[in-house]
């Protein structure tokens, strides 16, 4: 398309026009097929504490003294420091960063493998084309509220440039990924919530993506504490427009765009941290 279309402002007319303007032999997204069983009463939006607010499951505190995390998570950091006690500080920090990067990359790799295992079937069943054709058709449409271009600027399956990678720093990438992944968590939570609430066929898989994402956020948040930094304030559910939550006209397209950006962000994490590891 000649210009980027915001999903939030889609109406039926523009949806049809979009299909005409973009030459592609594919049909509109299929309406999600519901189970014949009646859907039990269920809030439209998830309630309770968002999973990304405390991804490790244990409350961490930061006292600003340079001592890093305190509380239940402190034991692993302390034991690590004891093992490194006899080494020069610079070597200890470098090795610690290598361990941190390894944990993040492994978690992201496992999450990406999981997403790829069900994405093909989800796209074929929903859009009646394969993933590549579907991506090519909708790649001009973005969800601006995710702000991924700000935190993790990347396109699906397009490698990061060498010049961009060379500009990255470990600290900056940690903080950017921490915010960007929380933004994605807001969207994935809603997708999983809708799939479960409406008893749709991919509820299990989208719920599993939230668990995978939680693991990554735990790794990243622990890494921020490990380098004695303070994480940014938690992202609120309010960043996702209510129209994106309640509209059923383009729910399948919304779900694909969030899933696409989730996989793109995982590729970003693997590439960015993988590059930083080579510079340790």
């Amino acid at each position: 398309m000649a210009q980027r279309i915001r999903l939030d402002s889609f109406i039926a007319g523009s949806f049809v026009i979009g299909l005409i303007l973009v030459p592609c032999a594919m049909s509109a997204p299929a309406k999600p097929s519901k189970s014949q069983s009646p859907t039990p009463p269920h809030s439209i939006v998830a309630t309770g504490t968002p999973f990304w607010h405390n991804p490790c499951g244990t409350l961490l505190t930061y006292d600003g003294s340079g001592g890093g995390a305190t509380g239940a998570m402190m034991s692993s950091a302390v034991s690590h420091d004891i093992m490194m006690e006899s080494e020069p500080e610079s070597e200890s920090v470098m090795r610690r960063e290598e361990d941190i990067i390894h944990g993040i990359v492994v978690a992201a790799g496992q999450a990406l493998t999981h997403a790829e295992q069900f994405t093909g079937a989800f796209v074929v069943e929903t859009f009646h084309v394969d993933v590549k054709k579907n991506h090519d058709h909708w790649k001009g449409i973005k969800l601006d509220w995710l702000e991924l271009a700000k935190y993790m600027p990347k396109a699906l399956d397009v490698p990061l440039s060498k010049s961009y990678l060379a500009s990255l720093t470990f600290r900056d990438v940690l903080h950017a990924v921490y915010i960007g992944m929380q933004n994605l968590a807001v969207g994935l939570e809603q997708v999983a919530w809708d799939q479960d609430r409406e008893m749709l066929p991919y509820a299990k898989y989208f719920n599993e993506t939230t668990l995978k994402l939680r693991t990554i956020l735990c790794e990243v948040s622990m890494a921020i504490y490990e380098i004695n930094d303070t994480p940014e304030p938690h992202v609120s559910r309010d960043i996702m427009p209510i129209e994106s939550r309640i509209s059923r006209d383009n729910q399948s397209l919304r779900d694909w765009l969030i899933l696409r950006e989730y996989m793109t962000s995982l590729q970003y994490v693997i590439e960015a941290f993988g590059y930083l590891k080579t510079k340790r």
Side-chain angles (χ1 to χ4, degrees):
M1 294 183 181
Q3 61 181 13
R4 186 170 69 185
I5 305 172
R6 295 190 180 185
L7 179 60
D8 302 330
S9 62
F10 261 20
I11 59 174
S14 62
F15 185 80
V16 174
I17 292 172
L19 290 177
I20 295 173
L21 291 178
V22 181
C24 182
M26 64 179 290
S27 58
K31 292 287 186 180
S33 57
K34 299 181 181 180
S35 167
Q36 295 302 314
S37 303
T39 303
H42 208 309
S43 172
I44 292 177
V45 181
T47 57
T49 303
F51 71 85
W52 58 92
H53 282 198
N54 187 20
C56 297
T58 303
L59 182 62
L60 298 179
T61 59
Y62 184 82
D63 59 13
S65 64
T70 61
M73 288 293 187
M74 187 64 174
S75 58
S76 62
V78 171
S79 63
H80 191 94
D81 287 340
I82 291 174
M83 289 189 293
M84 298 294 184
E85 189 174 16
S86 61
E87 299 181 4
E89 183 177 353
S90 60
E91 292 183 13
S92 174
V93 171
M94 185 172 296
R95 188 167 301 179
R96 183 182 302 166
E97 289 184 1
E98 288 180 356
D99 292 341
I100 290 171
I101 290 172
H102 177 74
I104 294 172
V105 171
V106 168
Q110 292 173 343
L112 183 58
T113 298
H114 169 265
E116 291 172 343
Q117 287 174 344
F118 76 89
T119 295
F122 169 74
V123 168
V124 169
E125 183 173 322
T126 306
F127 299 91
H128 313 298
V129 294
D130 61 29
V131 173
K132 185 181 185 306
K133 287 183 179 178
N134 190 62
H135 173 55
D136 289 343
H137 187 79
W138 300 112
K139 65 182 178 182
I141 300 178
K142 310 290 183 183
L143 295 172
D144 287 345
W145 57 269
L146 282 176
E147 294 189 298
L148 284 197
K150 177 180 179 181
Y151 297 107
M152 293 179 284
K154 188 185 184 308
L156 185 65
D157 296 331
V158 178
L160 297 171
S161 68
K162 292 182 179 180
S163 60
Y164 175 79
L165 289 170
S167 71
L168 299 178
T169 66
F170 180 60
R171 189 179 302 269
D172 289 345
V173 173
L174 275 179
H175 285 277
V177 167
Y178 187 62
I179 296 298
M181 285 293 189
Q182 286 190 73
N183 288 356
L184 277 165
V186 175
L188 277 174
E189 178 192 60
Q190 187 64 48
V191 175
W193 187 262
D194 289 340
Q195 288 273 329
D196 188 61
R197 180 170 62 90
E198 300 174 19
M199 293 182 285
L200 300 178
Y202 289 90
K204 169 180 178 290
Y205 301 101
F206 280 107
N207 273 294
E208 288 171 350
T209 64
T210 65
L211 298 178
K212 299 291 185 183
L213 180 52
R214 180 172 186 164
T215 299
I216 297 169
L217 282 169
C218 177
E219 291 282 353
V220 175
S221 64
M222 285 299 297
I224 293 174
Y225 282 115
E226 186 76 10
I227 63 173
N228 296 329
D229 266 13
T230 304
E232 288 78 0
H234 296 307
V235 171
S236 168
R237 286 190 177 109
D238 294 340
I239 68 166
M240 185 175 185
I242 190 63
E243 293 81 6
S244 291
R245 294 183 182 276
I246 65 176
S247 174
R248 292 296 172 262
D249 292 337
N250 297 291
Q251 180 177 323
S252 295
L253 178 56
R254 178 207 67 181
D255 294 353
W256 158 248
L257 295 176
I258 291 173
L259 179 59
R260 179 195 70 188
E261 301 297 53
Y262 169 65
M263 292 191 295
T264 302
S265 71
L266 295 175
Q267 292 179 354
Y268 178 92
V269 169
I270 293 168
E271 288 184 53
F273 282 105
Y275 172 82
L276 290 170
K277 187 175 182 179
T278 67
K279 299 301 178 182
R280 296 301 97 192

